[in-house]
Amino acid sequence: MNTDQLKNIDQQKFDRVCTIAREAMMIQTSADTLEWDERTRMPAAAGDYRASQVSLLRAETHKRRTDVEFGGLVEELYETLDDKDAHDDVTATIRGLHRDFMRDRCLPTELVRATSEATVRGQQAWDAARKADDFSLFRDSLQRVVDLKRESGNLIGAATQRSCYEALLDEYEPDAKVDQLQATFDSLRGPLVELIAAIADAPRQPDVSLLERSYDIDAQRAFGTRVSSAIGFDYQRGRLDETSHPFCTTLGPRDIRILTRYESNWLPSGLFGTLHEAGHGMYEQGLRDDWFGLPPGSYVSLGMHESQSRLWENQVGRSKAFWSWLYADAQKTFASNLSDVPLDDFYFAINTIRPSLIRVEADEATYNLHILIRFDLERQLIEGGLSVDELPEAWNARYQNDLGVTPPSDANGVLQDVHWSAGLIGYFPTYTLGNLASAQLYDAAEASLGDLSKMFERGEFAPLAGWLNEHVYRHGRCFSGLELVENATGKPLSAEPLIAYLRGKLAPLYGI
Amino acid sequence: MNTDQLKNIDQQKFDRVCTIAREAMMIQTSADTLEWDERTRMPAAAGDYRASQVSLLRAETHKRRTDVEFGGLVEELYETLDDKDAHDDVTATIRGLHRDFMRDRCLPTELVRATSEATVRGQQAWDAARKADDFSLFRDSLQRVVDLKRESGNLIGAATQRSCYEALLDEYEPDAKVDQLQATFDSLRGPLVELIAAIADAPRQPDVSLLERSYDIDAQRAFGTRVSSAIGFDYQRGRLDETSHPFCTTLGPRDIRILTRYESNWLPSGLFGTLHEAGHGMYEQGLRDDWFGLPPGSYVSLGMHESQSRLWENQVGRSKAFWSWLYADAQKTFASNLSDVPLDDFYFAINTIRPSLIRVEADEATYNLHILIRFDLERQLIEGGLSVDELPEAWNARYQNDLGVTPPSDANGVLQDVHWSAGLIGYFPTYTLGNLASAQLYDAAEASLGDLSKMFERGEFAPLAGWLNEHVYRHGRCFSGLELVENATGKPLSAEPLIAYLRGKLAPLYGI
C-alpha cells in the first residue's frame, strides 16, 4: 500500500463519496431484488407496474452516480493521488469511482436517453424478428443501436485515448486492449479448429442419449443444491431458484442468488447450469463485505466473472475426478436412469464435443468459435468494415467456414442472441476471456496446491476455492482483470492453457 | 361530482402532485417488496443490509411526500376548492394529499427522528422483556414512546382541532371521533359480556380436539389456495405464501400478496388465516388501478380494511352455509382427520367461544373485549390518567374483570402485543371498528341481494364480493370509512348488527 499518498486524502470528502456510492448501490440492489422477484415470483399481471418501479429506481441510482457534487469530489480526490495506479483499497476506490464517473460524463444526456430508447425498441424488434424468422424486421433497429453505440464509443474513446470499439469493450472488461485480445484470440483459433475437426473424425463417440432420459425435476433440484453447496456456494448467504433464463444476482453483500432451469430430458441443463451460476455466486460471496458497493468490494470485469463460472462448470464439473467422487450419489439419485450406466460412459457423454448452430447450447470447445465470430463481426460493424445489411450473409459464411455448419435461417443464425439489440456491443469477447482465464487460473492453482484431482476425488473443494479467493475474489477492483490473471499465474493471459486443457481431456476420450 | 370547482383546478399543478405522489408510492411499494422478500425468501445472513436498503427507500418516500414544492402545490390546489368535502376523485385526491401533508408538516424533523429511534429501541426492549417475562425491562422504552407520541398527538391535534388521542387515532381511522367511538364501544361491552358469560355456562360445548389432529401441511396449502380463490381472491394479480407473522401487502396495483401460517395441530390457523388475509387482499384488488398511489385508489382506513378480512373470515368463513358447500371437499382433503366427523360437530368446533389471555388467539366474540381493554388503557396512558408503572396492574385487573382470567405473568399479559412498543397508539380500536363494520355491511348486503346463505351453499360468492366492491372498494378514500358504512348501510356505525349476528349464530349452537 502506498501510505504516503493516503495522508493527502481528505477523509471527510472520501467518506462522503463512499456514502453516495454505497447509497447508489443500495438502490441498485433494490431494483435487482425487484427484478429477481419478477423473474421468479411476481404474478403475471404485475409486469407493467414493476417495470415502472425498476425504471424509477434505476434513474435514482444513475442520479446519484452522475451527481455533480459527487463527481466534483471524486475528481478532487483523484487529483490528489500521486500514484494513480496504486493497488491499495483507498486508491482503488478513488480510481474506480473516477473511471466510472468519467465514462458517464462523456455521454450527453440526450445520447443516453436515445440509446436507452433504441435498445428497448431494439429488443422488441429483435424478438419480433426472431419469432418471424425475418432479419429485415430487425435491420433498422440494429442500425440505430450500432450508430448510437458508435457515437458513445467515439466520445468515450476520445476522452480516454481508446479506439471506439476498445472504449465499448472497456465497459465490460476495463483496461483490456483490443490488439492484445485479437492476438490472443488468433492464437486460439487455429489449434481449436484443428482439435474440433479431429474430434469430428474420431472413431470413438459418446452416447449422448443417456443424458436425454427422463430425469425427475425434484431429484435434479435436490442434487444440484447438494453439489453446489459441496463446492462452496454458501446457502446461508444465498439461494437457488428457478427461472427461464438462468442468471446470478447480488442483492446484498450476504445475499447472492443463483437461478437455474431444469429440463426433464436434458440433465446437463440444470446440473451444469447450477454449477455455472454457483461459480458466479462464489465470486460474489468472496468479495469483501466491508467494501460492498465500492470498487474494492466489486467484481472486476465480466471476463473474470465468467472465468469463475466456467472453472467450476468445466474444469471442475466436467472432470473425471469430480465424477469419481459424485457418481455414486448421482446413480442413487437418478437410479432409474443411471444405475446401468458406467461412470466412463457418463463422463464421456458430458464431454460431448460437436459443432452446432446455437451458442448457448455449445460445448466448452466449440463455444469459443461462436464467440470469435461475434467478436470479429461486431468490431467490423462498429468500425464500418461491415454494414448491417451485409451482416446475415457474413454471419452464415463464418459459421460455414469456422464451424462447418450453415444456419438454415436467421432465427438460428444472426438473430439468436439478444446482446446487440440491447446495445451490448463489446460484451461477447468477455465469454472467451473467461474461458481462457479459467484454464490458466486452474493450472496455477494446481501448481501451487498440488494435484487437484486427488482432492476432487475426495470431495475436497475448499483448497481450490480458497486459492481463488486469495488470488481473485478478495482483490475486487484493486487490479484489472488481466493484471489479476498475471499476478495469480505469473504470466500474461494466453490461449495455451485452455488449448492444453482441452487437448489433455479430449484426446484420450476420443482416442485421437 | 362537483364539476364547477374542477374548472378552477390548474391541470398542470394537479398532474405534477399526482406524479410526485405516484413516484413516492412506487418507492414505497419497492420497500414493501424488499420486506415481503425478507419475510419469505431472504437468506438468513442478509438482514442487516436489507434493513439499510429498506430504510433508505423509506427515507426517499418520505422526502417526496414532505417536499416543500409538493406541499406548496397541494396547498394551493386545496385552497382553490370551494367545496372541500366533495366526493369526486379530483377533490378526494387533493383533500387526501393535503391531509397527509399537513399531518407530516406538524411534526418537526427532530421529533420524527426521535420517534423512529425510540420505536426501534422500543421493539427491541419489548422483545427482550417479553422473553425475560419482565416488564421492568420495557418500562423506560415504553415511557419514551408514550411521551413522544403524546407530543406528536398534541402537535397534530392543535393543527387539526382534535384531542391528542383523537389525533393519533386519526392516523389509522381518518375522521373518527373518540367520543362516538367510546359510545359505540360502551354499547357493545354489556351485551357482549352477557353473551360470553351465558356461553361459558351453556350445557352444550364443542369438541375442539378435532381441529387439533395432525393436518397435512401440503393439503392445508392446497385447500386454502382453492378456497381463497373460490371466494374471489385473484391469483392472476396476487400470491399466497407462508411466513411466521401473517399479513397482506400491496406491491403494485396488480400484485397483492397474502401470507399465512400453517400449523399441523391447529387447522384454524392456516385456514381462517388465509380467509382473513384473502379478505384484506380482495379489498386491495378491488381498488381502482388507474388511481393507484393516490387517495381514490387507496384503502380508506384500517378499520374498513379489517372489516373486509373479518367479514370473509367470520361472517362467511365460519357460517353454516359456507361449510355446507365446502365440507365434502374438506372431508376428502383431510380424510384421515375428518371423515368420521359430522358437519355439525366441525361447524360447532370452529365456532368455539372461550375467554382467553391472548388477543391473537381469541375467538370472534371475546376478541372485542381484548380490544376494549387496550383502547381504554392506551387512552389513559396518553391522557395522563394512567402511568406506565401502573399499567401492568391495570391490565391484569381489567382482564379479571372483563374476561374473568388473570395473566399468570406479564408475558401473557401486558407484554403480548408489539403495537405500543412500535408507537402504534390509536391502532387497536380499528380492530373492533372492523368487526362492527363487517356485521353491519353484511346485513346491508343481504338486505340488498337476498339470502346470502343460499348462495354460499352453492359456492357463489361473486354477488357479495360485487356488492362490497360497489359500496366499499371502488370508492377508495373518496369518503371516510364511517361515511362509507353509513352510505352503504343507511345507518351510522353501531354495535347492534355485531351483537345480533353473534347471538343469532351462537345462541342456537350453545343452546342458550
Side-chain angles (χ1 to χ4, degrees):
Chain A
M1 194 193 281
N2 182 332
T3 48
D4 277 354
Q5 71 179 345
L6 300 188
K7 291 185 209 137
N8 300 329
I9 305 264
D10 181 321
Q11 190 63 38
Q12 258 193 321
K13 288 177 180 166
F14 182 76
D15 290 346
R16 177 86 189 121
V17 301
C18 289
T19 298
I20 296 172
R22 283 184 199 271
E23 283 191 3
M25 182 56 97
M26 279 186 208
I27 302 178
Q28 178 185 309
T29 49
S30 297
D32 294 338
T33 305
L34 267 61
E35 289 194 329
W36 176 89
D37 179 79
E38 183 174 359
R39 304 238 219 143
T40 57
R41 314 281 166 185
M42 193 187 71
D48 285 349
Y49 190 73
R50 180 57 52 91
S52 63
Q53 288 174 305
V54 169
S55 141
L56 179 64
L57 294 179
R58 298 262 178 245
E60 280 295 313
T61 307
H62 186 71
K63 207 167 84 183
R64 279 166 172 75
R65 291 195 176 139
T66 55
D67 175 70
V68 179
E69 178 219 339
F70 172 69
L73 288 174
V74 167
E75 251 192 295
E76 222 180 290
L77 288 163
Y78 188 70
E79 290 313 320
T80 62
L81 294 175
D82 291 327
D83 179 4
K84 294 180 165 48
D85 299 321
H87 301 291
D88 62 275
D89 291 327
V90 172
T91 304
T93 299
I94 297 170
R95 181 175 61 242
L97 294 178
H98 182 258
R99 168 195 176 275
D100 299 344
F101 184 78
M102 288 300 136
R103 280 188 65 94
D104 277 336
R105 211 187 46 174
C106 292
L107 305 178
T109 314
E110 187 49 39
L111 178 60
V112 172
R113 217 183 48 70
T115 305
S116 166
E117 253 189 58
T119 55
V120 168
R121 280 171 208 277
Q123 289 173 77
Q124 288 162 353
W126 166 76
D127 198 45
R130 198 174 52 141
K131 281 181 180 136
D133 198 1
D134 181 354
F135 181 79
S136 74
L137 297 178
F138 180 41
R139 191 233 161 265
D140 291 352
S141 297
L142 179 58
Q143 182 71 61
R144 175 92 178 129
V145 170
V146 169
D147 290 345
L148 290 166
K149 292 305 286 186
R150 190 186 294 121
E151 195 177 336
S152 294
N154 280 329
L155 288 166
I156 298 169
T160 59
Q161 289 83 50
R162 287 183 171 90
S163 72
C164 177
Y165 183 77
E166 193 165 281
L168 296 176
L169 169 68
D170 185 75
E171 179 165 353
Y172 311 110
E173 192 64 39
D175 298 328
K177 301 278 171 284
V178 173
D179 290 346
Q180 257 178 3
L181 210 62
Q182 181 74 65
T184 309
F185 285 6
D186 283 347
S187 68
L188 173 66
R189 195 188 321 261
L192 204 53
V193 168
E194 198 181 317
L195 177 67
I196 293 165
I199 286 173
D201 293 338
R204 274 219 302 272
Q205 294 293 338
D207 172 15
V208 189
S209 73
L210 63 92
L211 302 173
E212 297 169 344
R213 297 172 182 180
S214 176
Y215 287 85
D216 180 67
I217 300 286
D218 283 340
Q220 287 194 50
R221 192 181 290 121
F223 188 72
T225 305
R226 211 151 61 228
V227 176
S228 52
S229 174
I231 64 171
F233 181 77
D234 180 359
Y235 280 92
Q236 292 299 311
R237 298 181 293 147
R239 289 181 56 92
L240 169 62
D241 293 272
E242 285 149 60
T243 191
S244 55
H245 295 279
F247 63 106
C248 170
T249 183
T250 292
L251 306 187
R254 297 173 180 208
D255 191 355
I256 316 297
R257 307 203 183 177
I258 56 178
L259 298 100
T260 194
R261 181 184 56 205
Y262 304 103
E263 285 179 32
S264 167
N265 296 304
W266 186 235
L267 182 65
S269 173
L271 178 58
F272 293 105
T274 302
L275 288 174
H276 181 98
E277 300 306 333
H280 281 306
M282 286 161 71
Y283 185 178
E284 292 290 321
Q285 290 184 336
L287 293 165
R288 285 172 293 160
D289 285 10
D290 48 342
W291 286 98
F292 187 80
L294 296 171
S298 304
Y299 75 88
V300 65
S301 70
L302 290 187
M304 285 309 287
H305 229 305
E306 194 71 6
S307 79
Q308 297 312 297
S309 56
R310 294 290 177 163
L311 187 149
W312 290 101
E313 175 192 354
N314 293 329
Q315 270 83 5
V316 178
R318 292 183 205 267
S319 72
K320 182 73 176 281
F322 183 75
W323 287 101
S324 300
W325 162 67
L326 189 59
Y327 197 59
D329 182 351
Q331 282 188 309
K332 204 172 135 191
T333 306
F334 307 108
S336 60
N337 301 308
L338 294 179
S339 55
D340 64 331
V341 176
L343 167 58
D344 282 343
D345 290 4
F346 181 82
Y347 171 60
F348 199 5
I350 61 170
N351 280 294
T352 300
I353 305 295
R354 186 181 293 165
S356 65
L357 290 170
I358 307 294
R359 175 182 63 87
V360 296
E361 295 167 5
D363 57 74
E364 61 177 322
T366 60
Y367 189 93
N368 297 294
L369 296 181
H370 292 264
I371 297 304
L372 300 193
I373 292 173
R374 286 159 177 75
F375 172 61
D376 292 340
L377 295 179
E378 71 178 14
R379 271 186 72 188
Q380 292 170 35
L381 276 178
I382 286 294
E383 290 168 356
L386 182 73
S387 75
V388 165
D389 290 318
E390 294 163 338
L391 179 63
E393 203 173 320
W395 180 284
N396 291 347
R398 279 296 299 271
Y399 263 76
Q400 184 54 49
N401 184 70
D402 295 17
L403 281 149
V405 293
T406 298
S409 72
D410 291 338
N412 293 314
V414 69
L415 288 175
Q416 71 183 263
D417 293 313
V418 71
H419 298 59
W420 291 337
S421 75
L424 302 173
I425 298 178
Y427 188 114
F428 279 124
T430 67
Y431 290 120
T432 284
L433 269 177
N435 285 333
L436 297 172
S438 72
Q440 188 161 330
L441 289 168
Y442 187 91
D443 286 354
E446 187 145 48
S448 153
L449 300 169
D451 191 345
L452 292 172
S453 305
K454 290 270 180 296
M455 302 177 197
F456 297 169
E457 283 168 6
R458 295 190 299 263
E460 285 173 19
F461 305 98
L464 175 57
W467 188 92
L468 291 166
N469 195 62
E470 181 70 15
H471 290 86
V472 180
Y473 310 162
R474 75 177 186 83
H475 296 290
R477 286 172 63 187
C478 291
F479 299 84
S480 77
L482 294 169
E483 284 170 342
L484 277 181
V485 171
E486 188 159 353
N487 293 347
T489 69
K491 287 172 289 198
L493 183 72
S494 85
E496 281 163 37
L498 181 65
I499 296 166
Y501 154 72
L502 290 171
R503 273 203 195 116
K505 177 163 72 169
L506 300 171
L509 267 177
Y510 284 86
I512 51 173
Chain B
M1 194 191 283
N2 182 335
T3 48
D4 276 355
Q5 72 179 345
L6 300 188
K7 289 185 210 139
N8 299 330
I9 305 268
D10 182 322
Q11 188 65 39
Q12 259 193 320
K13 288 177 180 167
F14 183 75
D15 290 346
R16 177 86 189 121
V17 301
C18 288
T19 298
I20 295 173
R22 282 184 199 271
E23 283 191 3
M25 182 55 98
M26 279 186 208
I27 302 178
Q28 177 184 312
T29 49
S30 297
D32 293 338
T33 305
L34 267 61
E35 289 193 329
W36 176 88
D37 179 79
E38 183 174 359
R39 303 239 219 142
T40 56
R41 315 281 166 184
M42 194 187 73
D48 285 350
Y49 191 73
R50 180 55 55 89
S52 63
Q53 288 175 304
V54 169
S55 139
L56 179 64
L57 293 179
R58 299 260 178 247
E60 281 293 314
T61 307
H62 187 71
K63 207 167 83 182
R64 280 166 172 74
R65 290 193 177 140
T66 55
D67 175 70
V68 179
E69 180 220 338
F70 172 70
L73 288 174
V74 167
E75 253 193 294
E76 221 179 293
L77 288 163
Y78 188 71
E79 291 312 321
T80 61
L81 294 174
D82 291 327
D83 178 4
K84 293 179 166 50
D85 298 322
H87 301 290
D88 62 276
D89 291 327
V90 172
T91 304
T93 299
I94 297 169
R95 181 176 60 240
L97 295 177
H98 182 261
R99 169 195 176 275
D100 299 344
F101 184 79
M102 288 300 137
R103 278 188 67 94
D104 278 334
R105 211 187 47 175
C106 292
L107 305 178
T109 314
E110 188 48 40
L111 178 59
V112 173
R113 217 183 47 70
T115 306
S116 167
E117 254 189 58
T119 55
V120 169
R121 281 171 207 278
Q123 288 172 77
Q124 289 162 353
W126 166 75
D127 199 44
R130 199 175 49 142
K131 281 179 183 138
D133 198 0
D134 181 356
F135 180 79
S136 75
L137 297 178
F138 180 42
R139 191 237 161 262
D140 291 351
S141 296
L142 178 60
Q143 181 73 60
R144 174 95 178 125
V145 170
V146 169
D147 289 346
L148 289 166
K149 292 304 287 186
R150 189 186 296 120
E151 195 178 337
S152 294
N154 280 330
L155 288 167
I156 298 170
T160 58
Q161 287 85 51
R162 288 182 169 89
S163 72
C164 177
Y165 182 77
E166 191 165 282
L168 296 176
L169 168 69
D170 184 75
E171 180 165 353
Y172 311 109
E173 192 65 38
D175 298 328
K177 302 277 170 285
V178 172
D179 289 347
Q180 257 178 4
L181 210 62
Q182 181 74 65
T184 309
F185 285 6
D186 283 346
S187 67
L188 172 65
R189 195 188 320 261
L192 204 52
V193 167
E194 196 181 318
L195 177 66
I196 293 165
I199 286 173
D201 292 338
R204 274 220 301 273
Q205 293 292 338
D207 172 15
V208 188
S209 73
L210 63 92
L211 303 173
E212 297 169 344
R213 297 172 181 180
S214 175
Y215 287 85
D216 181 66
I217 300 286
D218 283 339
Q220 287 196 49
R221 192 180 290 121
F223 188 71
T225 305
R226 212 151 59 230
V227 176
S228 52
S229 175
I231 63 171
F233 181 77
D234 180 359
Y235 280 92
Q236 293 299 309
R237 299 181 291 148
R239 289 181 57 93
L240 169 63
D241 292 272
E242 284 150 58
T243 191
S244 55
H245 295 279
F247 62 107
C248 169
T249 182
T250 292
L251 306 187
R254 297 174 179 206
D255 191 355
I256 316 298
R257 306 203 183 177
I258 56 177
L259 298 100
T260 195
R261 181 184 55 204
Y262 305 104
E263 285 178 32
S264 168
N265 295 304
W266 186 235
L267 182 65
S269 173
L271 177 59
F272 294 105
T274 302
L275 288 174
H276 181 98
E277 300 306 333
H280 281 306
M282 286 161 71
Y283 185 178
E284 291 291 318
Q285 290 184 335
L287 293 164
R288 285 171 293 161
D289 286 8
D290 49 342
W291 286 99
F292 187 78
L294 296 171
S298 305
Y299 74 87
V300 64
S301 72
L302 291 186
M304 285 309 285
H305 229 307
E306 194 71 5
S307 78
Q308 297 312 297
S309 57
R310 294 291 176 161
L311 188 148
W312 289 102
E313 176 192 354
N314 293 329
Q315 269 83 5
V316 178
R318 293 185 204 265
S319 72
K320 182 74 177 280
F322 184 75
W323 287 101
S324 299
W325 161 68
L326 188 59
Y327 197 59
D329 182 351
Q331 281 188 310
K332 204 173 135 192
T333 306
F334 307 108
S336 60
N337 301 309
L338 294 180
S339 56
D340 64 332
V341 176
L343 168 58
D344 282 342
D345 290 4
F346 182 83
Y347 171 60
F348 197 6
I350 61 171
N351 280 294
T352 300
I353 305 296
R354 185 181 295 166
S356 65
L357 290 169
I358 307 294
R359 175 185 61 86
V360 296
E361 295 166 7
D363 57 74
E364 59 179 322
T366 60
Y367 190 92
N368 297 294
L369 296 181
H370 292 265
I371 296 305
L372 301 193
I373 292 172
R374 288 158 175 77
F375 172 63
D376 291 341
L377 294 179
E378 71 178 15
R379 271 185 72 186
Q380 292 170 34
L381 276 178
I382 285 294
E383 290 168 357
L386 183 74
S387 75
V388 166
D389 291 317
E390 295 163 336
L391 179 63
E393 202 173 321
W395 179 285
N396 291 348
R398 279 296 300 269
Y399 263 76
Q400 185 54 49
N401 185 68
D402 295 16
L403 281 147
V405 293
T406 298
S409 73
D410 290 338
N412 294 313
V414 69
L415 288 174
Q416 71 184 262
D417 293 313
V418 70
H419 299 60
W420 291 336
S421 75
L424 302 174
I425 298 178
Y427 188 114
F428 278 124
T430 67
Y431 291 120
T432 285
L433 268 178
N435 285 333
L436 297 173
S438 72
Q440 188 161 332
L441 288 168
Y442 187 90
D443 286 353
E446 187 146 48
S448 153
L449 299 168
D451 191 345
L452 291 172
S453 304
K454 290 270 178 299
M455 300 177 198
F456 298 169
E457 283 168 8
R458 295 190 300 264
E460 285 172 21
F461 304 98
L464 175 57
W467 188 91
L468 291 167
N469 195 64
E470 181 71 16
H471 290 86
V472 180
Y473 310 162
R474 75 179 185 81
H475 296 291
R477 287 172 63 186
C478 291
F479 298 83
S480 77
L482 294 171
E483 283 171 341
L484 277 181
V485 171
E486 187 158 355
N487 292 347
T489 68
K491 287 173 290 199
L493 183 71
S494 84
E496 281 163 36
L498 180 65
I499 296 166
Y501 153 72
L502 290 171
R503 272 202 197 118
K505 177 163 71 168
L506 300 171
L509 267 177
Y510 284 85
I512 50 173

